[in-house]
Amino acid sequence: MPRYALKVEYDGGPFSGWQWQDDRPSVQGAIEAALARLERGVPRIGAAGRTDAGVHARGQVCHCDMAKDWAPGTLMNALNHHLKPSPVAIVAAASVPEDWHARFSARERRYLFRILNRRARATMEAGQVWQVQRPLDVDAMRQGAAHLVGRHDFTTFRSTMCQAKSPVKTLDALDIAEVETGAGREIHVSLSARSFLHNQVRSFVGTLEKVGSGSWPPERVREALDARDRAACGPVAPPQGLYLTGVGYPEDPFA
Amino acid sequence: MPRYALKVEYDGGPFSGWQWQDDRPSVQGAIEAALARLERGVPRIGAAGRTDAGVHARGQVCHCDMAKDWAPGTLMNALNHHLKPSPVAIVAAASVPEDWHARFSARERRYLFRILNRRARATMEAGQVWQVQRPLDVDAMRQGAAHLVGRHDFTTFRSTMCQAKSPVKTLDALDIAEVETGAGREIHVSLSARSFLHNQVRSFVGTLEKVGSGSWPPERVREALDARDRAACGPVAPPQGLYLTGVGYPEDPFA
């Protein structure tokens, strides 16, 4: 069966997450419903990152197996037609080898977390950022974040529901940028790693907000990491600021 | 009565426009309802730009007259509290002299029009951009736009409903930028003038889209302008891409 890689963008707001659930709307369910309009009996699809309820994606990647040969552009347009009016769009499609796997072939996941740091409530950005009203000290956040980069036991920063076999992961990058937007000041936390633990990014960001607002000294991030204890983590940041921005493969299927 | 200038941000989507209407939700109505929670009998408020249905604002300015003396920050916070959950926020407040007028004291209005230029339907940006699927030639758009800058009779580019006494206005700037965003390519059209005619920006943008897509040669913008005939205008671009970004005064009341 010909296999296709799909790059997917979505507003996670109306969904219970990526993963199919029989009683609630999911992004996987929306795409599978669109595929079912094209061919009967299309197998389940798998994605590189199973985003949680409310988390958005700019560059989620999944793959699907079709019975017929489709020109990738035709497949993309047909899926987008049937995805209407869901806030889900296929932004790229490519033919891939039959042993290519969106999840297992991936070598890198990239996330962005957007904090809107202003007093007045978000209007246009509602549902697309985490709004923090207290002014955040970005230099202090960067000092705290420096402790997290590299290979560590991240037990403190993973959900108790996390199903990964090991809490040891390598965080390749965690960069914090200040961005002036039409709405004021945003703080963008960008992260990349081969893979992430469940709730790891939101646990990082909630902890770094404690540092930025002055509640925690930056060194307390190191102590929290060393504790290897979920109870040492700061609050988990809310999902609506989080974006899966991209997935890296040995060769970019969409290039 | 002490007078206050308010800088207002809103998502125009759910509103019939800035201006109060007795049977439909308006931004003015939302702010006046919040004011009525603070004091009885607050007079009607006036704004620098009466945005149409669906048009957004980052920096609309209005003024209000209060019976009591309010610290501007307290007034802003109280209004924002009562504006919930409307997508309207007061982002700055300032005391101004009693003869200061949001509309008549203004010397400049600034607008931004966002075009999302990609094939796949917008998800996160739905309602915040005009999506154009055909690739647009920005250089051609700039050539067309050059004809519009300066002092002209803009009869072609104003709504037949426009109530301005004269169609002669001076367009101080019309800049077109290409911006790479998480969602792909956006084209940002930024404009400034002392004042604009009704539907002028959307008439410009709809006309320039004809040029960018290759349907019109750039010189046809000049011919349309010279015709001084509404029928010579291109289509009017939809409201959801338009933002009132700021209003200029001899002295910035919020500085």
Side-chain angles (χ1 to χ4, degrees):
Chain A
M1 297 179 96
R3 177 165 284 193
Y4 298 89
L6 305 172
K7 188 185 285 190
V8 189
E9 180 186 280
Y10 47 87
D11 178 348
F15 298 106
S16 63
W18 165 266
Q19 197 154 20
W20 191 87
Q21 294 189 30
D22 59 4
D23 57 344
R24 283 191 282 174
S26 64
V27 182
Q28 182 183 6
I31 297 172
E32 289 180 352
L35 283 164
R37 303 287 295 272
L38 305 184
E39 288 186 1
R40 291 179 58 173
V42 176
R44 296 241 91 129
I45 61 175
R50 279 168 296 177
T51 53
D52 279 334
V55 173
H56 315 296
R58 290 294 192 185
Q60 171 73 285
V61 178
C62 64
H63 69 259
C64 62
D65 295 310
M66 307 297 287
K68 286 195 299 185
D69 264 318
W70 288 78
T74 308
L75 180 62
M76 174 173 116
N77 291 343
L79 285 174
N80 282 334
H81 176 75
H82 291 299
L83 279 165
K84 268 187 274 186
S86 283
V88 180
I90 312 297
V91 294
S95 291
V96 289
E98 288 189 35
D99 63 349
W100 188 92
H101 195 285
R103 182 170 170 205
F104 299 121
S105 302
R107 294 289 173 271
E108 185 187 54
R109 274 87 175 168
R110 294 182 292 275
Y111 284 93
L112 166 68
F113 197 103
R114 288 174 61 187
I115 298 172
L116 177 62
N117 193 202
R118 75 174 198 186
R119 227 161 109 190
R121 194 164 37 88
T123 65
M124 300 297 292
E125 283 74 19
Q128 306 190 351
V129 295
W130 179 25
Q131 184 172 4
V132 174
Q133 294 190 296
R134 300 183 286 188
L136 295 175
D137 177 341
V138 169
D139 285 333
M141 293 172 75
R142 288 190 181 119
Q143 288 172 43
H147 298 298
L148 300 171
V149 177
R151 183 176 165 85
H152 299 288
D153 178 333
F154 285 111
T155 297
T156 301
F157 300 98
R158 74 162 165 170
S159 156
T160 53
M161 313 282 283
C162 181
Q163 292 171 8
K165 280 179 196 147
S166 164
V168 176
K169 294 280 178 192
T170 300
L171 179 66
D172 293 318
L174 194 169
D175 296 313
I176 305 180
E178 290 179 89
V179 181
E180 279 301 320
T181 73
R185 183 195 194 214
E186 285 195 21
I187 295 169
H188 287 186
V189 183
S190 303
L191 309 97
S192 68
R194 184 176 177 116
S195 61
F196 286 88
L197 298 161
H198 189 205
N199 274 358
Q200 190 179 0
V201 174
R202 290 165 56 196
S203 298
F204 283 165
V205 172
T207 298
L208 293 173
E209 191 274 338
K210 283 280 181 194
V211 175
S213 62
S215 305
W216 285 26
E219 308 75 54
R220 189 160 158 191
V221 177
R222 174 92 237 171
E223 292 162 23
L225 179 68
D226 289 345
R228 297 189 186 101
D229 176 0
R230 183 63 177 156
C233 186
V236 175
Q240 74 270 12
L242 184 58
Y243 296 73
L244 174 57
T245 50
V247 184
Y249 296 93
E251 279 183 77
D252 180 0
F254 307 107
Chain B
M1 295 180 99
R3 179 164 282 193
Y4 297 89
L6 304 173
K7 187 184 284 189
V8 188
E9 179 187 281
Y10 47 86
D11 177 348
F15 297 104
S16 63
W18 165 266
Q19 196 154 19
W20 190 86
Q21 294 190 29
D22 61 3
D23 58 345
R24 282 191 283 173
S26 65
V27 182
Q28 182 183 6
I31 297 172
E32 288 180 351
L35 283 164
R37 303 287 295 273
L38 306 184
E39 289 186 2
R40 291 178 59 171
V42 175
R44 296 239 92 129
I45 61 174
R50 279 169 295 176
T51 53
D52 278 334
V55 174
H56 315 296
R58 290 294 194 186
Q60 171 73 287
V61 178
C62 64
H63 68 259
C64 61
D65 295 310
M66 307 298 286
K68 286 195 300 184
D69 264 319
W70 288 79
T74 307
L75 179 62
M76 174 174 118
N77 291 343
L79 286 174
N80 282 334
H81 176 74
H82 291 299
L83 280 164
K84 268 186 275 186
S86 283
V88 180
I90 313 298
V91 294
S95 291
V96 289
E98 287 188 37
D99 63 349
W100 188 94
H101 195 286
R103 182 171 170 205
F104 300 120
S105 304
R107 294 290 172 271
E108 185 187 53
R109 274 86 175 168
R110 295 184 291 275
Y111 284 93
L112 165 69
F113 197 102
R114 289 173 61 187
I115 298 172
L116 177 63
N117 193 203
R118 75 173 198 188
R119 228 161 110 190
R121 192 165 37 89
T123 65
M124 298 299 292
E125 283 75 20
Q128 307 190 349
V129 295
W130 179 26
Q131 184 172 6
V132 174
Q133 295 189 296
R134 299 183 287 187
L136 295 175
D137 177 341
V138 169
D139 285 333
M141 292 173 76
R142 288 190 181 119
Q143 287 172 44
H147 299 297
L148 300 170
V149 178
R151 182 177 165 85
H152 299 287
D153 178 333
F154 286 111
T155 297
T156 301
F157 299 100
R158 74 161 168 172
S159 157
T160 53
M161 315 281 283
C162 182
Q163 292 171 7
K165 280 178 196 148
S166 164
V168 177
K169 295 279 177 191
T170 300
L171 179 66
D172 294 317
L174 194 168
D175 296 313
I176 306 180
E178 292 180 87
V179 181
E180 279 300 321
T181 73
R185 183 195 194 216
E186 285 194 22
I187 295 170
H188 288 186
V189 183
S190 303
L191 309 97
S192 66
R194 185 177 175 113
S195 60
F196 287 88
L197 299 161
H198 191 204
N199 273 359
Q200 190 178 2
V201 175
R202 291 165 54 196
S203 297
F204 283 165
V205 173
T207 298
L208 293 173
E209 191 274 338
K210 282 280 182 197
V211 175
S213 63
S215 306
W216 284 27
E219 309 75 54
R220 190 161 157 191
V221 177
R222 173 92 237 170
E223 293 160 25
L225 178 69
D226 290 344
R228 296 189 187 104
D229 176 359
R230 182 64 178 155
C233 185
V236 175
Q240 73 271 10
L242 183 57
Y243 296 74
L244 174 56
T245 50
V247 184
Y249 295 93
E251 278 184 77
D252 180 359
F254 307 107

